Amino acid sequence: ETGVTQSPTHLIKTRGQQVTLRCSSQSGHNTVSWYQQALGQGPQFIFQYYREEENGRGNFPPRFSGLQFPNYSSELNVNALELDDSALYLCASSLRDWGLGYTFGSGTRLTVV
Amino acid sequence: DAKTTQPPSMDCAEGRAANLPCNHSTISGNEYVYWYRQIHSQGPQYIIHGLKNNETNEMASLIITEDRKSSTLILPHATLRDTAVYYCIVLNSGGSNYKLTFGKGTLLTVNP
C-alpha cells in the first residue's frame, strides 16, 4: 500500500508568480483535500475534490484553485503569489467514507520571496 | 463543527502513560471526536476516533465522557518518537464536506 506523495518537497517562488503543487493519493482513495499550514499554526482547509469536482472550499481566495484527475491524483495551483502564501501545503486523501480517516502527505514547503 | 480546547503543551516521561485532554463542550449528537498528531516536518497522522464509546487501537485509547463534552487521548507507554503536536478535532458525520478543522493542538514532549 503506497501512501500519499507530494511534489516538490520544497519550492521557492517570487511574489506575483504562479505555482503548481502535485499530489498522488493513497491507492484506493478517491477524495483529495488540500490544507495550508503556516508556521506555528494548525493546518487550514483549502478545498476538497471528489470525482474530479470541487466538493467544499475553505476561506481562500479564487487564486487558489485545484484539479483532480481520473486516477484521483490532484494539483493545487496558486496564482499571483503573495508573501503570506509561504507555508507548508498538505495533501490528504481518503475514501468517500470519512470514518476511515485521512492519510496526509509530508507536504510541500513553499517560500515566497 | 464544534470548537475544541486543548492545553498548549504537556510533558511526559518515557515509558509512562501520556494523557492528553480535550474539551469540546459544544459538541452535537452527530459529531465524532478525532485525534491526529503531527511529528515535526511531517503531515498529520490519524490516531483514533470515536462517537460515544471508549475506543482502543494499536496506537492509543480514547476515553469520551458520558456527556461527551470532553475526551482524553491515552498513549499507554509513551516513547521519544511520540513527541509531536496532538490535535483533537470534532467532525460532523453529516453533509458532504468532511473538512478537518485544526486548532493549535497540544505539543507533547516525551522526556528520557
Side-chain angles (χ1 to χ4, degrees):
Chain A
E1 173 182 288
T2 59
V4 174
T5 57
Q6 294 187 241
S7 62
T9 55
H10 295 82
L11 199 55
I12 298 176
K13 287 287 190 178
T14 303
R15 189 172 53 182
Q17 286 188 313
Q18 179 266 343
V19 69
T20 298
L21 310 181
R22 295 179 173 81
C23 171
S24 293
S25 59
Q26 180 169 315
S27 178
H29 284 185
N30 56 17
T31 302
V32 173
S33 304
W34 286 91
Y35 289 79
Q36 180 196 66
Q37 186 173 24
L39 207 58
Q41 304 295 317
Q44 300 299 304
F45 175 74
I46 303 175
F47 42 54
Q48 183 181 86
Y49 278 83
Y50 171 66
R51 289 188 175 179
E52 303 176 50
E53 292 192 1
E54 189 178 287
N55 178 46
R57 188 179 184 92
N59 189 27
F60 281 82
R63 58 190 186 84
F64 285 79
S65 63
L67 285 172
Q68 186 182 31
F69 300 99
N71 66 353
Y72 306 130
S73 65
S74 177
E75 287 182 354
L76 165 65
N77 299 290
V78 186
N79 293 323
L81 284 167
E82 301 177 359
L83 297 180
D84 286 346
D85 295 333
S86 295
L88 180 67
Y89 288 85
L90 295 160
C91 172
S93 73
S94 64
L95 282 173
R96 187 65 171 151
D97 178 359
W98 55 268
L100 298 177
Y102 290 77
T103 302
F104 282 82
S106 295
T108 294
R109 172 71 62 186
L110 173 65
T111 302
V112 182
V113 297
Chain B
D1 295 329
K3 182 178 178 178
T4 61
T5 303
Q6 299 177 253
S9 63
M10 294 183 63
D11 286 309
C12 177
E14 188 177 19
R16 304 296 294 268
N19 297 280
L20 292 92
C22 179
N23 181 289
H24 32 78
S25 58
T26 60
I27 194 170
S28 60
N30 62 352
E31 290 181 320
Y32 283 67
V33 179
Y34 272 74
W35 284 84
Y36 280 77
R37 73 179 182 182
Q38 188 172 23
I39 297 170
H40 183 61
S41 297
Q42 297 182 22
Q45 176 191 25
Y46 166 81
I47 302 173
I48 198 168
H49 74 282
L51 182 63
K52 295 181 182 178
N53 300 320
N54 298 336
E55 302 288 344
T56 296
N57 63 20
E58 65 278 5
M59 290 183 67
S61 294
L62 174 60
I63 308 298
I64 303 175
T65 58
E66 191 170 346
D67 63 7
R68 304 211 319 124
K69 292 185 177 182
S70 65
S71 61
T72 301
L73 178 74
I74 301 172
L75 308 178
H77 305 287
T79 71
L80 299 179
R81 288 176 295 180
D82 292 322
T83 293
V85 177
Y86 287 76
Y87 296 99
C88 170
I89 298 166
V90 170
L91 184 61
N92 198 314
S93 64
S96 60
N97 180 5
Y98 307 125
K99 69 176 183 178
L100 298 173
T101 301
F102 291 85
K104 289 192 175 183
T106 296
L107 172 59
L108 174 68
T109 303
V110 180
N111 300 305

